[in-house]
Amino acid sequence: MIETMIYVHIPFCDSKCLYCNFVSGIYSEEIKQQYFLKLNKEIEYNANKKYIVTSIYIGGGTPSSIDSKYVVELINNIFTCFTIKDDVEITIEANPCSLTREKLHDYKNCKINRLSIGVQSLDNNCLKKIGRKHTRQKALKAINLARQCGFNNINADVLIGIPNQTYHKLKSTIKTLLKKVSHISAYMLINEPNTPLTRMIANNEVKVVDEDKCVSFYDKIVKYLNKKHFTRYEVSNFAKNDMICKHNMGYWQCKNYLGFGVSSHSYFLGERYYNTSNILEYIHSEFNYEKHKLTNSEKIEEYLMLGLRTKYGVNIEKLRSLGFDILTAKKTELDMLASNDFIQILDGAIIVNNDKFGVLNQIILKLLPN
Ligand SMILES: C[S@@+](CC[C@H](N)C(=O)[O-])C[C@H]1O[C@@H](n2cnc3c(N)ncnc32)[C@H](O)[C@@H]1O
Ligand code: SF4
């Protein structure tokens, strides 16, 4: 028996936000039908009852934008094709505009037990600036509805660095959300190439919040959330009462995952598989995964880069099993980092100290194999 996580990509949205370059768009019902036909075939093609599924993540795009019958069918199919662990975590991503009571009931009935809602901000002016179609009121209504329908494991995505955002606006968003959700993902807004927002910035139509300001917003938010018992367990992720996202934690610990759907990838028994990023190609061509077997040094680098982002750090024994005796190979660097309070070595793990995440990249660079 082999433990694995499952990610499913739903590339559909009701509208495209100005900053987003995810593989997602607005498509006809006919394309949606064809997509789900193929997606279910892909799941069946990979079926194996020897695989024990520990978490399922339905991401996108906006999975809540589609008819929930597709979601129910998809989850049922996964339950038929694989062995599902009793305490499986099943997350679905949702947008405040499309979450309804009926959909929430359907999600609950097919064992979805975690919601991740794209809130981004509770300031109407900020929401407008980045092309979100919902208001503060609609976002709060969606969260309240989810709670009424029995969801108690809810994440809210928030963006730091939205044009016109002030620290006051950001803090007020977080202050309201933390009374209602158990998890907050606070991402720095990235100006991705080829997005309308990046073009607007280049044309001086919109003013970005400068980087130093974003970093100071982030540092203050980390302190504020900590004070409110939301622990940062990864650079951008904060959980109350240890309600961490098991699925994302699995990525950072380099666990197995199977990815289904357009643009998804998998990491399974040391090999990475990539699906096409073109939705029509995905629908119309045979399964043809691009495959890459990770070398040991790639595995070490990946584990260091992901693991050090978390509050659990990297396990020294695991690194040794990959052929990297970090205590010997990086003795000078580790001594220097530990004596200057950048890291600590605790219970067999190397952990970055809470107040040193601002220089995380420099720490990682020092610890990567030569
Ligand atoms: C798939 S979306 C979440 C669900 C839904 N599609 C929505 O937006 O309401 C995942 C998250 O990625 C984040 N995201 C998307 N583009 C980003 C960017 N350019 N920079 C930072 N975060 C981004 C947003 O916070 C978004 O909520
Ligand atoms: S942020 Fe979410 S809703 Fe907006 S375009 Fe991207 S995936 Fe769609």
Side-chain angles (χ1 to χ4, degrees):
M1 302 295 269
I2 303 168
E3 283 203 349
T4 187
M5 316 188 291
I6 286 182
Y7 173 78
V8 186
H9 192 76
I10 311 296
F12 306 119
C13 288
D14 288 326
S15 63
K16 196 77 193 166
C17 307
L18 296 174
Y19 55 90
C20 177
N21 78 344
F22 287 11
V23 177
S24 70
I26 303 148
Y27 290 91
S28 67
E29 198 55 36
E30 194 188 342
I31 293 282
K32 289 180 187 171
Q33 267 175 21
Q34 292 174 5
Y35 184 78
F36 278 96
L37 206 66
K38 190 60 184 272
L39 184 59
N40 281 308
K41 274 196 187 145
E42 188 188 13
I43 291 168
E44 285 152 25
Y45 177 81
N46 286 280
N48 192 330
K49 281 287 189 187
K50 289 202 175 119
Y51 298 170
I52 308 177
V53 178
T54 53
S55 63
I56 303 170
Y57 197 100
I58 317 285
T62 305
S64 65
S65 70
I66 51 159
D67 194 320
S68 51
K69 71 175 184 205
Y70 294 120
V71 176
V72 174
E73 205 184 336
L74 177 80
I75 300 273
N76 287 343
N77 201 13
I78 295 175
F79 272 69
T80 310
C81 292
F82 302 94
T83 300
I84 310 293
K85 223 172 162 197
D86 286 345
D87 64 347
V88 65
E89 171 191 275
I90 311 182
T91 305
I92 189 162
E93 286 187 332
N95 181 291
C97 292
S98 49
L99 208 52
T100 62
R101 191 180 289 277
E102 292 69 30
K103 284 179 186 171
L104 284 159
H105 280 308
D106 287 345
Y107 297 164
K108 191 105 213 162
N109 286 338
C110 69
K111 298 203 168 67
I112 290 175
N113 49 24
R114 186 170 182 276
L115 284 175
S116 178
I117 306 179
V119 173
Q120 322 309 349
S121 173
L122 289 176
D123 179 83
N124 285 337
N125 193 262
C126 284
L127 288 168
K128 220 173 182 171
K129 276 267 179 242
I130 53 173
R132 298 289 292 184
K133 299 293 178 215
H134 59 86
T135 55
R136 164 196 175 87
Q137 203 188 7
K138 197 144 198 176
L140 292 174
K141 204 171 156 196
I143 298 173
N144 289 339
L145 198 59
R147 283 163 50 129
Q148 280 167 22
C149 293
F151 286 90
N152 57 10
N153 195 351
I154 304 177
N155 166 59
D157 283 340
V158 171
L159 288 174
I160 301 175
I162 298 174
N164 277 17
Q165 193 177 45
T166 58
Y167 179 67
H168 175 74
K169 286 180 184 175
L170 175 63
K171 186 178 167 189
S172 148
T173 290
I174 302 269
K175 187 177 176 185
T176 307
L177 287 175
L178 55 80
K179 292 179 199 136
K180 296 177 175 287
V181 298
S182 53
H183 190 288
I184 291 179
S185 298
Y187 301 115
M188 294 277 194
L189 177 61
I190 299 166
N191 295 317
E192 300 282 2
N194 300 323
T195 59
L197 187 67
T198 300
R199 279 193 290 278
M200 287 156 82
I201 291 166
N203 294 338
N204 282 325
E205 292 164 38
V206 173
K207 211 167 160 273
V208 276
V209 182
D210 77 64
E211 207 180 312
D212 288 348
K213 220 172 186 179
C214 286
V215 172
S216 107
F217 284 6
Y218 170 78
D219 287 341
K220 285 196 258 182
I221 282 302
V222 173
K223 287 200 186 99
Y224 178 64
L225 279 166
N226 260 328
K227 210 168 75 187
K228 299 288 178 184
H229 311 291
F230 273 69
T231 312
R232 175 177 58 186
Y233 68 97
E234 193 270 347
V235 176
S236 311
N237 288 281
F238 304 80
K240 195 164 80 175
N241 301 333
D242 227 16
M243 287 175 82
I244 64 166
C245 174
K246 284 202 265 177
H247 187 89
N248 284 341
M249 203 53 224
Y251 288 146
W252 300 314
Q253 291 173 334
C254 298
K255 294 197 172 158
N256 288 330
Y257 62 89
L258 294 171
F260 300 125
V262 67
S263 78
S264 68
H265 42 91
S266 308
Y267 177 73
F268 201 72
L269 304 180
E271 294 197 64
R272 185 147 282 146
Y273 304 82
Y274 302 87
N275 245 334
T276 169
S277 289
N278 181 307
I279 179 159
L280 295 180
E281 195 180 306
Y282 175 78
I283 290 172
H284 296 297
S285 55
E286 290 305 306
F287 301 119
N288 181 20
Y289 301 110
E290 204 186 300
K291 200 163 148 182
H292 172 68
K293 192 168 174 52
L294 267 75
T295 61
N296 250 15
S297 59
E298 282 172 329
K299 284 186 199 166
I300 294 163
E301 277 181 23
E302 209 156 281
Y303 180 50
L304 275 168
M305 288 197 285
L306 296 173
L308 287 173
R309 294 172 65 89
T310 73
K311 74 166 182 171
Y312 309 100
V314 287
N315 183 283
I316 294 165
E317 221 20 73
K318 181 164 173 171
L319 284 170
R320 197 172 284 137
S321 73
L322 292 169
F324 187 43
D325 183 354
I326 195 165
L327 292 186
T328 310
K330 291 285 167 178
K331 185 174 182 335
T332 320
E333 289 85 349
L334 287 170
D335 286 347
M336 185 280 288
L337 290 168
S339 60
N340 287 296
D341 280 335
F342 284 98
I343 59 157
Q344 51 179 308
I345 299 183
L346 198 71
D347 297 333
I350 298 166
I351 299 166
V352 174
N353 284 331
N354 209 16
D355 60 337
K356 295 297 188 299
F357 271 68
V359 287
L360 181 64
N361 288 342
Q362 288 92 316
I363 297 174
I364 292 173
L365 280 176
K366 287 218 177 306
L367 296 180
L368 286 175
N370 298 325

